[in-house]
Amino acid sequence: MGTPFQQLYDRFFSKTDEDFTDKEGLVFALVDSAISKSYKTVRHSLEYVLTDSDTYDGYFIDDLDNDEIELLSLWMLYEFNRREQQRLVKLKEFIGTKDFNKLPDKLDQLRAVEISMKTIINDINDLKDSFNTYKYN
């Protein structure tokens, strides 16, 4: 058996203080999104076996390296933040920029999410660069 999903879940949960109780479907959707953004970069296959479709328990067929798990968890975090950004942007569009900007907590939340996303994408790119090792014979 390869790498259990729980290893990836634990890595992702350690990066956020969000409570994901009873949000197993959301977490698994983040996993699927992370896989779609990572499969061309990582060294091992990201094929998996889902052993429980209610709890989304399962495992990757291959044993993933630590940096591969890190990359997947960063993409999950990025996608989670993107969902929050989209929610806030929709609110801004609904009530208008002028009124949205008068809501300091919402404006601050949007700014914080956007800064976080930039930081995460930089971390992702730095990590992806480390996957490309060029060896000359």
Side-chain angles (χ1 to χ4, degrees), residues 4 19 27 37 40 43 51 54 62 74 95 98 110 122-123 128 131:
D19 181 11
V27 173
K37 293 176 188 237
K40 291 182 181 179
R43 292 174 292 279
T51 56
D54 292 329
D62 286 352
L74 286 170
I95 65 174
K98 186 177 177 181
L110 181 57
N122 286 336
D123 290 347
K128 281 173 46 176
F131 281 90

Side-chain angles (χ1 to χ4, degrees), residues 1-15 31 56-60 62-70 72-73 76:
M1 184 168 90
T3 303
F5 280 172
Q6 192 60 50
Q7 226 176 313
L8 175 58
Y9 295 155
D10 290 345
R11 181 78 58 96
F12 170 67
F13 296 148
S14 74
K15 296 182 182 310
V31 170
Y56 298 97
D57 192 23
Y59 59 92
F60 292 98
D62 286 352
D63 285 320
L64 302 183
D65 294 335
N66 196 35
D67 55 355
E68 293 169 314
I69 295 168
E70 181 68 13
L72 288 168
S73 69
M76 290 172 69

Side-chain angles (χ1 to χ4, degrees), residues 32-92:
D32 259 354
S33 181
I35 288 171
S36 72
K37 293 176 188 237
S38 301
Y39 76 95
K40 291 182 181 179
T41 305
V42 297
R43 292 174 292 279
H44 294 96
S45 169
L46 297 179
E47 290 182 65
Y48 59 84
V49 173
L50 196 60
T51 56
D52 186 338
S53 59
D54 292 329
T55 62
Y56 298 97
D57 192 23
Y59 59 92
F60 292 98
I61 294 172
D62 286 352
D63 285 320
L64 302 183
D65 294 335
N66 196 35
D67 55 355
E68 293 169 314
I69 295 168
E70 181 68 13
L71 182 63
L72 288 168
S73 69
L74 286 170
W75 273 122
M76 290 172 69
L77 186 62
Y78 181 85
E79 285 301 312
F80 179 71
N81 279 293
R82 189 181 62 76
R83 291 172 53 92
E84 179 64 13
Q85 178 201 35
Q86 288 178 335
R87 185 187 68 76
L88 291 166
V89 167
K90 285 179 184 177
L91 177 62
K92 184 177 181 179

